[in-house]
Amino acid sequence: MMQLDLTRVDYLQVGITCQKTMQVLPLTSKTQKIVVGDNDGQLQCFGLRKGQVQTLFQASKKNQISRVVLGGQIGGVRDRIFTSAGTEVNAFTKKGKNFLTFDTGITEPVQSIYVEGTDLLACGNFGFNHYCDCKESSYFLSSDKINDVICLPREKWNGLTPVLACQDRVLRVLQGSDVLYEAEVPGPPVVVELFGNNGGDEGNEILYGTSDGRIGLMQIGTLAPVHRWELPNMKRAGGVLCLDSYDITADGVLDLLVGRDDGQVEVYSYDEANEPVFRYCYTGSESITSVKGGVVAAAGFDEIVCANYAGWVFALTTEQLVKEVGLQKAAPDPVVTAKISNLKSELEGLQKQVSDERAKYHESAHSTKTVSAVPFFPINDKFVLNKDDASYSLSLELQSPIDNILLQSDVPVDLLDIEKNSAVVSYSACNPEDGNFLLATYRCQANTTRLEMKIRSIEGQYGTLQVYVTPRIQPKTCQLKQYPIKPLSLHQRIHAFDENRPHNTLTLKGQFSQAEVHSWLTFCLPEIPERPPAMDPAVFYFASTFLDTQLLCLYRKGEAVFKSDNISSISILKDVLSKEATKKKIRLDISFDINDDSVTHTLRLIHPKLEEQLLLAKKVQLIDALKELQVNEPDLSFMAPEYQEILKESEKLKAEFKRQPSHLERLYGMITDLYIDKFKFKGQNVKSKVPALLELLDTYELDSLIAFFENSA
């Protein structure tokens, strides 16, 4: 198998780019051309000749370009360029002629498009529109946000079959204005592409990438989907923003190209069983918004062409650009010399422009007739829950370098270590009475444009995490971003509910509308769509990423029913919903049905996690004593194998313990809350017995703990 050796080459920088706004045009000569659109509304098409960028055409629009896709005749070459900006879709020939300007007339900006022959599929945040020859053919309103859209190829598939990637972890397969079926995927799908660029042999194979970093292949059947394979995110890499199929390994089989929001570009080949095998990874510093394979700079040399958030269009090329020389001095390459000279001239021009603009700003800032304007800088941010470690990943990305980031929280949260985070973090003393539970500052290195943090919250304690972002720009300015920490913040949406578990039920009745209950649940739980669902009653299922307990929410006008195998989840909902109803002066009739078996069930779910953490804490406590013994005793063969293993794995154990601060205390807190909530529903206050419970946890045994819960009445 050929070893991949790729070199990065930067081509040019445009404005900030959105997801999937760069394409490589089909090969018509020795090399291919690149077309890219940015948030400034600029569309550029360029190629390379002798290492120099040559612009073929440019077009300008008022709104930011949200998508750039290629279209053409069905079964033919896709060489027509389609862009979406605002509510408008424009089409250009490969030479830059604007042959179509079409206002979709939809009420929200177009976020994603796909073109199949004369059919245009355009999606806003929630609405899907199908236009045939610029006339509306069908419409569908999604219950959750639409992230991407694609269509099965018509030459292989009878009729038009759109596939929507929706935020609620499903791919919706449409037929006209109706949903044919919903295909569940393991995370919120952000991008969908045709497998092998043509959907495979039958034209119905779809690649998808999720915001939590998973990749999968699904076969779209006429009545039900077939999951072919899924790549779990074992290394906890960033979310997938773009995919492509291209033979970069030159073995005659298309490879899978992946671009992630943490700057990684990955290559996967396929084995004999058509399963993906990791081959190559490049790590950049900005989100990869588009990735495509092609031959751009030199004939015969394949490249992975990428565009990142900051607007850089670059390639990872197979061409060997660094020439190996011996003791003899290599003759200068005239192409490289000319390129360096042009770059120096461009740099001098930019430096003069910056100097002139800075002088102009200082002059106007000190004038009595003008007001100094605070510069606006866009922030590409993401605050998502990770299922694997029950924590929130907060990523912030700027076009200019970040100076520092200040975090403030009015509820208790933990900051978890991230190995790839190079910023220096410092904590300030907090006074909870003033509403401060966290004050932390990240000081970034000079060239840092993207920073990622991990945060773990405590369910039942809710408030706001405030983030102050200060870039390295003049004049000094700061921007505030706010992220809600919800009462049931560690729950995520699922699509099935296990009725065989012992459940506790909470029922609310009163003079409230379905929309009001929906707004209360949006306040309580993550991943609830902004708009109330059209179904009556509305039903949502959730699972705790920390404990694997489940929650059912069923509500309609005047009634809401909640079921969970965790009493604490029911207790939190009861308290928060009562407060929200009181704010609106709505009287609630509250009833509940508590199943004592659910407590034992929850304790058994906690047991393996607690046992693992207790064992880890015990091992870490022994490390220092064992190392001291190792210094005094050169021969440790007399020591028990388990102690030798602790010494051998000492650094790994310490790192794991450090990665999960307060993990044991969190589990103790959950058991304590479970104990208090069990008896609170029975009208008993058992807070005086909590010290005895904590003492029992110090000598933990599951059977003793269950007996304590059962005999405390």
Side-chain angles (χ1 to χ4, degrees), residues 148-414:
D148 202 5
V149 60
I150 206 165
C151 173
L152 301 184
R154 277 204 158 185
E155 69 268 23
K156 293 184 178 181
W157 197 257
N158 186 24
L160 190 79
T161 307
V163 180
L164 309 182
C166 299
Q167 187 66 23
D168 53 354
R169 289 181 166 80
V170 294
L171 300 180
R172 288 186 167 86
V173 182
L174 302 185
Q175 194 172 56
S177 298
D178 301 319
V179 177
L180 187 62
Y181 58 79
E182 296 179 347
E184 299 172 15
V185 291
V190 177
V191 56
V192 282
E193 294 285 355
L194 292 174
F195 176 68
N197 301 321
N198 60 3
D201 294 337
E202 297 179 19
N204 61 349
E205 294 178 323
I206 298 287
L207 286 165
Y208 63 84
T210 68
S211 61
D212 56 0
R214 301 166 192 265
I215 307 164
L217 177 65
M218 183 180 292
Q219 190 168 1
I220 304 298
T222 52
L223 298 175
V226 178
H227 293 266
R228 296 283 299 276
W229 51 257
E230 179 202 327
L231 277 177
N233 190 8
M234 301 298 292
K235 295 182 180 179
R236 296 179 184 173
V240 179
L241 288 182
C242 44
L243 299 166
D244 191 35
S245 296
Y246 186 79
D247 184 14
I248 192 68
T249 56
D251 60 356
V253 179
L254 293 177
D255 304 300
L256 174 61
L257 312 182
V258 182
R260 297 181 182 270
D261 64 14
D262 60 354
Q264 287 191 23
V265 179
E266 296 174 339
V267 177
Y268 292 87
S269 295
Y270 295 97
D271 58 17
E272 294 79 5
N274 290 324
E275 297 277 341
V277 179
F278 177 78
R279 290 293 308 279
Y280 174 84
C281 179
Y282 164 83
T283 302
S285 55
E286 293 101 2
S287 299
I288 305 298
T289 53
S290 302
V291 63
K292 290 289 174 183
V295 179
V296 176
F301 293 99
D302 295 308
E303 303 175 25
I304 301 174
V305 186
C306 308
N308 64 25
Y309 171 76
W312 278 106
V313 180
F314 65 93
L316 302 172
T317 179
T318 55
E319 185 178 5
Q320 193 68 31
L321 298 177
V322 179
K323 296 181 179 178
E324 296 182 4
V325 295
L327 296 174
Q328 296 181 351
K329 187 176 179 181
D333 188 333
V335 175
V336 174
T337 305
K339 193 171 185 179
I340 291 172
S341 177
N342 289 339
L343 287 172
K344 282 182 178 178
S345 301
E346 188 179 344
L347 184 60
E348 288 171 4
L350 288 171
Q351 286 174 337
K352 186 178 184 306
Q353 188 178 345
V354 168
S355 179
D356 293 344
E357 290 296 327
R358 185 173 289 154
K360 192 186 296 182
Y361 176 82
H362 283 299
E363 186 181 335
S364 63
H366 291 90
S367 172
T368 56
K369 297 180 181 179
T370 58
V371 179
S372 177
V374 176
F376 172 77
F377 54 94
I379 299 176
N380 180 27
D381 62 328
K382 189 175 78 166
F383 189 63
V384 295
L385 177 61
N386 297 315
K387 180 183 178 182
D388 296 333
D389 58 1
S391 69
Y392 276 88
S393 174
L394 172 62
S395 65
L396 301 158
E397 186 172 12
L398 277 66
Q399 194 174 27
S400 52
I402 302 170
D403 187 7
N404 62 74
I405 291 175
L406 170 67
L407 273 69
Q408 184 271 337
S409 175
D410 57 4
V411 289
V413 293
D414 289 333

Side-chain angles (χ1 to χ4, degrees), residues 34 41 70 103 268 271 353 355 437 472 512 515 612 643 698:
I34 299 171
L70 299 180
D103 191 339
Y268 292 87
D271 58 17
Q353 188 178 345
S355 179
F437 285 88
R472 293 179 188 270
F512 50 76
E612 181 186 350
Y643 294 136
D698 288 337

Side-chain angles (χ1 to χ4, degrees), residues 13-18 38-41 64 286-287 308-311 374-382 395-403 405 448-451 467-473 477-481 483:
Q13 186 177 23
V14 296
I16 292 173
T17 64
C18 292
D38 60 28
N39 284 12
D40 297 329
Q64 74 172 38
E286 293 101 2
S287 299
N308 64 25
Y309 171 76
V374 176
F376 172 77
F377 54 94
I379 299 176
N380 180 27
D381 62 328
K382 189 175 78 166
S395 65
L396 301 158
E397 186 172 12
L398 277 66
Q399 194 174 27
S400 52
I402 302 170
D403 187 7
I405 291 175
T448 303
T449 57
R450 184 181 186 276
L451 193 67
V467 182
Y468 298 83
V469 185
T470 306
R472 293 179 188 270
I473 59 174
T477 184
C478 178
Q479 197 173 134
L480 170 64
K481 304 290 285 186
Y483 305 96

Side-chain angles (χ1 to χ4, degrees), residues 421-485:
N421 195 338
S422 59
V424 178
V425 61
S426 57
Y427 296 88
S428 302
C430 298
N431 184 3
E433 293 179 2
D434 296 334
N436 283 331
F437 285 88
L438 171 71
L439 283 172
T441 305
Y442 284 87
R443 290 178 175 84
C444 303
Q445 295 179 357
N447 57 350
T448 303
T449 57
R450 184 181 186 276
L451 193 67
E452 188 172 336
M453 295 150 274
K454 272 192 180 292
I455 296 155
R456 181 172 288 147
S457 57
I458 301 173
E459 289 204 324
Q461 304 197 41
Y462 53 97
T464 306
L465 174 70
Q466 299 196 113
V467 182
Y468 298 83
V469 185
T470 306
R472 293 179 188 270
I473 59 174
Q474 294 295 334
K476 214 64 173 175
T477 184
C478 178
Q479 197 173 134
L480 170 64
K481 304 290 285 186
Q482 294 182 320
Y483 305 96
I485 305 295

